[in-house]
Amino acid sequence: MIKTTLTAILKEAGTLLEKREYTDAASLYRKAMQLQPGNAAAAMGIAMIHNRTGQPEEALKILQNVWKAMSGNKTKKTTTPKAAVLAQIGLAQQQTGRIIEALQSFREANVLRPSAELSKLIQNLESAVENPNTIAQLIAKASQLQRSGKLEEAAKFYYTALQLNPDHPEALHGLGLVLRAQNDLDGALPLIQQAIILAPDRPDYYNDLGILFQERGELEKAISFHKRAIKVKADFTAAFINLGVAYKRIGKLDEAIAAYRQAILLQPNSPAAHNNLGNLLRIQGDLIGARKELKQAIKLHPGYRDAIENLVTVEQELKQKTIAAPKPEKPKTPGKQGKKKPGSGN
């Protein structure tokens, strides 16, 4: 009775899967798993749903367990199911950016059970691997996703590019920035360092490594790399601004001011440079100079919250200074003395 029910459930789930009614299909596959824990067909169905709904990592976990249970069986009856599992593993690997691994899985599946669909997948992947433009396209897509805040998706494309060329500096740098944005500073560090080794003429790599060291609290190292960025590109405004930030954090305010002034000299229209300089002048007590720089930052970037808040603070401090200043005493006018009339004296 259970077997008949299980077969019927799996058949209905398969029909729903083909109709792309994934929620209902998944519910039935789970019901089948309750009736028979470890049922390979139900596990495969759930994995296929994960693959089709953008959850390849979840699919891989299930598929690897199914493959482990199935791989010891060498009968001809298991050839087709094995090919199906390998094909799904390949699809999951492809979605997670593991192109080389995916290609191998598809090839193994095609050996077990050749098909036109698998042959096409293999051909497409082989063409992608051999095409010199593939990495550039992957990095461009990753960068676009990164800018739009889709960090996990961006990481997948960078990983794929690195599978094709593990020593591609732009992919290493890009992935490092993604990991840094995800607060994985330890993971980001070796990637950006390796990018610098492979492309020592890229000032932005040095500057980004300096920012990473700032986030790690290693400020002397940060200063060193911001300076190296400037050495490679003497007019690198962003590196001067970041250098100023690092100097400020270690208490070298004069050096920080000099860095900000140099940034403004190179790029007078930099709101960040004017804001940072204005805030630092405020700390040093130059409220008039601070007000001037902060107003310029807001003029260049209306709605610049940090600059607006800093200017409010400056105006408050100027007001308090005016109130606290002692008022100058008015000079005393000499008292009026009656003039003696002639002949009035004793």
Side-chain angles (χ1 to χ4, degrees), residues 336-342 344:
K336 291 182 180 180
Q337 295 180 356
K339 293 182 180 180
K340 290 182 179 180
K341 293 180 181 179
S344 63

Side-chain angles (χ1 to χ4, degrees), residues 4 7 21 27 30 38-39 49 52 57-58 79 102 113 138 150 191 200 203 218 226 235 261 288 308 312 333:
T4 305
T7 303
E21 296 178 16
S27 178
R30 291 192 184 95
N39 182 278
I49 291 169
R52 294 184 186 187
E57 292 290 357
E58 294 302 317
T79 300
R113 186 173 177 80
L138 288 167
K150 298 177 181 178
L191 293 170
E218 300 176 65
H226 292 314
D235 60 348
R261 290 198 187 281
I288 301 301
I308 292 168
V312 168
T333 55

Side-chain angles (χ1 to χ4, degrees), residues 207 210-211 214 219-230 236-264 266 270 272-281 283-284:
N207 187 52
I211 294 171
Q214 287 209 47
L219 299 176
E220 293 293 348
K221 287 183 180 179
I223 288 168
S224 171
F225 280 99
H226 292 314
K227 284 183 174 179
R228 288 175 72 176
I230 292 165
F236 195 179
T237 304
F240 278 107
I241 292 174
N242 289 318
L243 179 61
V245 172
Y247 272 136
K248 179 188 171 186
R249 291 180 66 187
I250 62 171
K252 293 187 176 181
L253 303 188
D254 290 338
E255 287 86 343
I257 286 174
Y260 292 144
R261 290 198 187 281
Q262 184 61 31
I264 291 169
L266 291 169
S270 169
H274 285 287
N275 174 62
N276 289 8
L277 177 57
N279 194 38
L280 198 47
L281 291 174
I283 292 170
Q284 287 203 320

Side-chain angles (χ1 to χ4, degrees), residues 322-335:
T322 302
I323 294 170
K327 294 180 180 179
E329 292 184 7
K330 291 182 179 180
K332 292 181 180 180
T333 55

Side-chain angles (χ1 to χ4, degrees), residues 1-9 35-36:
M1 181 70 178
I2 292 176
K3 187 174 182 181
T4 305
T5 304
L6 181 63
T7 303
I9 289 171
L35 289 172
Q36 189 182 86

Side-chain angles (χ1 to χ4, degrees), residues 164-315:
L164 299 178
N165 182 358
D167 291 328
H168 198 288
E170 199 170 347
L172 288 164
H173 174 250
L175 181 57
L177 294 185
V178 167
L179 294 182
R180 193 187 84 194
Q182 293 176 320
N183 294 317
D184 182 3
L185 304 185
D186 291 337
L189 181 60
L191 293 170
I192 299 178
Q193 287 175 322
Q194 183 64 14
I196 287 174
I197 291 169
L198 294 166
D201 59 339
R202 289 290 298 268
D204 52 326
Y205 291 5
Y206 292 108
N207 187 52
D208 287 331
L209 186 56
I211 294 171
L212 180 58
F213 277 123
Q214 287 209 47
E215 291 172 349
R216 289 167 63 93
E218 300 176 65
L219 299 176
E220 293 293 348
K221 287 183 180 179
I223 288 168
S224 171
F225 280 99
H226 292 314
K227 284 183 174 179
R228 288 175 72 176
I230 292 165
K231 188 174 181 181
V232 175
K233 189 174 187 291
D235 60 348
F236 195 179
T237 304
F240 278 107
I241 292 174
N242 289 318
L243 179 61
V245 172
Y247 272 136
K248 179 188 171 186
R249 291 180 66 187
I250 62 171
K252 293 187 176 181
L253 303 188
D254 290 338
E255 287 86 343
I257 286 174
Y260 292 144
R261 290 198 187 281
Q262 184 61 31
I264 291 169
L265 187 65
L266 291 169
Q267 191 176 334
N269 294 331
S270 169
H274 285 287
N275 174 62
N276 289 8
L277 177 57
N279 194 38
L280 198 47
L281 291 174
R282 178 190 67 79
I283 292 170
Q284 287 203 320
D286 182 2
L287 298 179
I288 301 301
R291 174 199 270 166
K292 177 185 174 184
E293 295 298 333
L294 294 168
K295 282 186 174 181
Q296 182 63 16
I298 295 166
K299 181 180 177 182
L300 292 167
H301 182 190
Y304 189 176
R305 180 170 294 181
D306 283 351
I308 292 168
E309 290 175 357
N310 288 331
L311 182 58
V312 168
T313 302
V314 167
E315 297 292 1

